[in-house]
PDB file of all heavy atoms in Angstrom:
ATOM      1  N   THR A   3     112.870 -40.920  59.717  1.00 60.00           N
ATOM      2  CA  THR A   3     114.332 -41.009  59.820  1.00 60.00           C
ATOM      3  C   THR A   3     114.995 -40.465  58.558  1.00 60.00           C
ATOM      4  O   THR A   3     116.002 -39.754  58.609  1.00 60.00           O
ATOM      5  CB  THR A   3     114.757 -42.462  60.045  1.00 60.00           C
ATOM      6  OG1 THR A   3     114.136 -42.953  61.240  1.00 60.00           O
ATOM      7  CG2 THR A   3     116.268 -42.565  60.172  1.00 60.00           C
ATOM      8  N   ALA A  32     159.562 -35.016  20.296  1.00 91.00           N
ATOM      9  CA  ALA A  32     160.471 -34.545  19.254  1.00 91.00           C
ATOM     10  C   ALA A  32     159.779 -33.605  18.282  1.00 91.00           C
ATOM     11  O   ALA A  32     160.437 -32.820  17.600  1.00 91.00           O
ATOM     12  CB  ALA A  32     161.055 -35.744  18.502  1.00 91.00           C
ATOM     13  N   TRP A  73     165.647 -24.744  36.656  1.00 98.00           N
ATOM     14  CA  TRP A  73     164.436 -24.336  35.970  1.00 98.00           C
ATOM     15  C   TRP A  73     163.544 -23.634  36.981  1.00 98.00           C
ATOM     16  O   TRP A  73     163.317 -24.140  38.085  1.00 98.00           O
ATOM     17  CB  TRP A  73     163.694 -25.543  35.394  1.00 98.00           C
ATOM     18  CG  TRP A  73     164.371 -26.214  34.242  1.00 98.00           C
ATOM     19  CD1 TRP A  73     165.093 -27.373  34.270  1.00 98.00           C
ATOM     20  CD2 TRP A  73     164.373 -25.777  32.888  1.00 98.00           C
ATOM     21  NE1 TRP A  73     165.556 -27.689  33.013  1.00 98.00           N
ATOM     22  CE2 TRP A  73     165.131 -26.724  32.138  1.00 98.00           C
ATOM     23  CE3 TRP A  73     163.828 -24.676  32.209  1.00 98.00           C
ATOM     24  CZ2 TRP A  73     165.335 -26.607  30.775  1.00 98.00           C
ATOM     25  CZ3 TRP A  73     164.041 -24.564  30.843  1.00 98.00           C
ATOM     26  CH2 TRP A  73     164.781 -25.516  30.140  1.00 98.00           C
ATOM     27  N   ARG A  85     139.931 -14.672  46.261  1.00 96.00           N
ATOM     28  CA  ARG A  85     139.382 -14.932  44.929  1.00 96.00           C
ATOM     29  C   ARG A  85     140.051 -14.056  43.864  1.00 96.00           C
ATOM     30  O   ARG A  85     139.391 -13.522  42.966  1.00 96.00           O
ATOM     31  CB  ARG A  85     137.870 -14.741  44.915  1.00 96.00           C
ATOM     32  CG  ARG A  85     137.087 -15.883  45.571  1.00 96.00           C
ATOM     33  CD  ARG A  85     137.458 -17.220  44.921  1.00 96.00           C
ATOM     34  NE  ARG A  85     136.740 -18.337  45.515  1.00 96.00           N
ATOM     35  CZ  ARG A  85     135.680 -18.916  44.975  1.00 96.00           C
ATOM     36  NH1 ARG A  85     135.202 -18.492  43.823  1.00 96.00           N
ATOM     37  NH2 ARG A  85     135.090 -19.931  45.575  1.00 96.00           N
ATOM     38  N   ALA A 152     157.506  -1.677  36.984  1.00 98.00           N
ATOM     39  CA  ALA A 152     158.465  -0.918  36.178  1.00 98.00           C
ATOM     40  C   ALA A 152     157.794   0.097  35.256  1.00 98.00           C
ATOM     41  O   ALA A 152     158.303   1.205  35.090  1.00 98.00           O
ATOM     42  CB  ALA A 152     159.327  -1.877  35.344  1.00 98.00           C
ATOM     43  N   LEU A 155     152.585  -0.397  29.996  1.00 98.00           N
ATOM     44  CA  LEU A 155     152.870  -0.473  28.569  1.00 98.00           C
ATOM     45  C   LEU A 155     151.665  -0.085  27.721  1.00 98.00           C
ATOM     46  O   LEU A 155     151.814   0.565  26.683  1.00 98.00           O
ATOM     47  CB  LEU A 155     153.333  -1.888  28.206  1.00 98.00           C
ATOM     48  CG  LEU A 155     154.502  -2.447  29.031  1.00 98.00           C
ATOM     49  CD1 LEU A 155     154.910  -3.819  28.503  1.00 98.00           C
ATOM     50  CD2 LEU A 155     155.683  -1.487  29.018  1.00 98.00           C
ATOM     51  N   ASN A 184     136.228 -13.403  23.872  1.00 96.00           N
ATOM     52  CA  ASN A 184     137.575 -13.942  23.606  1.00 96.00           C
ATOM     53  C   ASN A 184     137.810 -14.161  22.117  1.00 96.00           C
ATOM     54  O   ASN A 184     138.350 -15.193  21.691  1.00 96.00           O
ATOM     55  CB  ASN A 184     137.779 -15.267  24.358  1.00 96.00           C
ATOM     56  CG  ASN A 184     137.841 -15.068  25.854  1.00 96.00           C
ATOM     57  OD1 ASN A 184     138.576 -14.232  26.362  1.00 96.00           O
ATOM     58  ND2 ASN A 184     137.050 -15.847  26.582  1.00 96.00           N
ATOM     59  N   TYR A 190     151.014  -5.337  18.758  1.00 98.00           N
ATOM     60  CA  TYR A 190     151.718  -4.082  19.007  1.00 98.00           C
ATOM     61  C   TYR A 190     153.206  -4.284  18.750  1.00 98.00           C
ATOM     62  O   TYR A 190     153.708  -5.414  18.763  1.00 98.00           O
ATOM     63  CB  TYR A 190     151.492  -3.624  20.452  1.00 98.00           C
ATOM     64  CG  TYR A 190     150.053  -3.278  20.765  1.00 98.00           C
ATOM     65  CD1 TYR A 190     149.138  -4.275  21.092  1.00 98.00           C
ATOM     66  CD2 TYR A 190     149.599  -1.965  20.719  1.00 98.00           C
ATOM     67  CE1 TYR A 190     147.808  -3.966  21.372  1.00 98.00           C
ATOM     68  CE2 TYR A 190     148.276  -1.644  20.994  1.00 98.00           C
ATOM     69  CZ  TYR A 190     147.394  -2.653  21.317  1.00 98.00           C
ATOM     70  OH  TYR A 190     146.081  -2.335  21.583  1.00 98.00           O
ATOM     71  N   GLU A 191     153.923  -3.169  18.556  1.00 98.00           N
ATOM     72  CA  GLU A 191     155.361  -3.237  18.350  1.00 98.00           C
ATOM     73  C   GLU A 191     156.044  -2.084  19.077  1.00 98.00           C
ATOM     74  O   GLU A 191     155.441  -1.042  19.337  1.00 98.00           O
ATOM     75  CB  GLU A 191     155.702  -3.199  16.860  1.00 98.00           C
ATOM     76  CG  GLU A 191     155.323  -1.897  16.175  1.00 98.00           C
ATOM     77  CD  GLU A 191     155.974  -1.766  14.805  1.00 98.00           C
ATOM     78  OE1 GLU A 191     157.186  -2.053  14.697  1.00 98.00           O
ATOM     79  OE2 GLU A 191     155.262  -1.354  13.863  1.00 98.00           O
ATOM     80  N   GLY A 197     158.782   0.312  25.724  1.00 97.00           N
ATOM     81  CA  GLY A 197     157.934   1.092  24.839  1.00 97.00           C
ATOM     82  C   GLY A 197     158.625   2.349  24.326  1.00 97.00           C
ATOM     83  O   GLY A 197     159.840   2.484  24.438  1.00 97.00           O
ATOM     84  N   CYS A 235     138.323 -20.916  22.559  1.00 96.00           N
ATOM     85  CA  CYS A 235     137.257 -20.524  23.484  1.00 96.00           C
ATOM     86  C   CYS A 235     135.889 -20.526  22.800  1.00 96.00           C
ATOM     87  O   CYS A 235     134.963 -19.856  23.250  1.00 96.00           O
ATOM     88  CB  CYS A 235     137.539 -19.135  24.047  1.00 96.00           C
ATOM     89  SG  CYS A 235     139.034 -19.018  25.057  1.00 96.00           S
ATOM     90  N   THR A 249     153.791 -16.165   9.113  1.00 97.00           N
ATOM     91  CA  THR A 249     154.521 -16.241   7.843  1.00 97.00           C
ATOM     92  C   THR A 249     155.022 -14.880   7.368  1.00 97.00           C
ATOM     93  O   THR A 249     155.923 -14.817   6.518  1.00 97.00           O
ATOM     94  CB  THR A 249     153.629 -16.855   6.758  1.00 97.00           C
ATOM     95  OG1 THR A 249     152.429 -16.072   6.627  1.00 97.00           O
ATOM     96  CG2 THR A 249     153.269 -18.290   7.107  1.00 97.00           C
ATOM     97  N   ARG A 259     149.327 -18.765   9.232  1.00 96.00           N
ATOM     98  CA  ARG A 259     148.600 -19.930   8.749  1.00 96.00           C
ATOM     99  C   ARG A 259     148.617 -20.989   9.840  1.00 96.00           C
ATOM    100  O   ARG A 259     149.506 -20.989  10.711  1.00 96.00           O
ATOM    101  CB  ARG A 259     149.243 -20.478   7.481  1.00 96.00           C
ATOM    102  CG  ARG A 259     150.671 -20.972   7.649  1.00 96.00           C
ATOM    103  CD  ARG A 259     151.314 -21.299   6.324  1.00 96.00           C
ATOM    104  NE  ARG A 259     152.723 -21.703   6.489  1.00 96.00           N
ATOM    105  CZ  ARG A 259     153.596 -21.742   5.492  1.00 96.00           C
ATOM    106  NH1 ARG A 259     153.220 -21.415   4.264  1.00 96.00           N
ATOM    107  NH2 ARG A 259     154.837 -22.113   5.714  1.00 96.00           N
ATOM    108  N   TYR A 299     142.416 -28.742  33.212  1.00 97.00           N
ATOM    109  CA  TYR A 299     141.478 -28.719  34.338  1.00 97.00           C
ATOM    110  C   TYR A 299     140.415 -29.802  34.214  1.00 97.00           C
ATOM    111  O   TYR A 299     140.154 -30.339  33.137  1.00 97.00           O
ATOM    112  CB  TYR A 299     140.837 -27.339  34.490  1.00 97.00           C
ATOM    113  CG  TYR A 299     139.669 -27.042  33.571  1.00 97.00           C
ATOM    114  CD1 TYR A 299     138.359 -27.090  34.038  1.00 97.00           C
ATOM    115  CD2 TYR A 299     139.873 -26.677  32.240  1.00 97.00           C
ATOM    116  CE1 TYR A 299     137.285 -26.791  33.215  1.00 97.00           C
ATOM    117  CE2 TYR A 299     138.806 -26.370  31.406  1.00 97.00           C
ATOM    118  CZ  TYR A 299     137.511 -26.428  31.903  1.00 97.00           C
ATOM    119  OH  TYR A 299     136.449 -26.131  31.084  1.00 97.00           O
TER     120      TYR A 299
END
Side-chain angles (χ1 to χ4, degrees):
T3 302
W73 290 102
R85 284 305 180 101
L155 307 184
N184 292 310
Y190 295 83
E191 65 166 315
C235 296
T249 57
R259 62 189 177 196
Y299 81 103

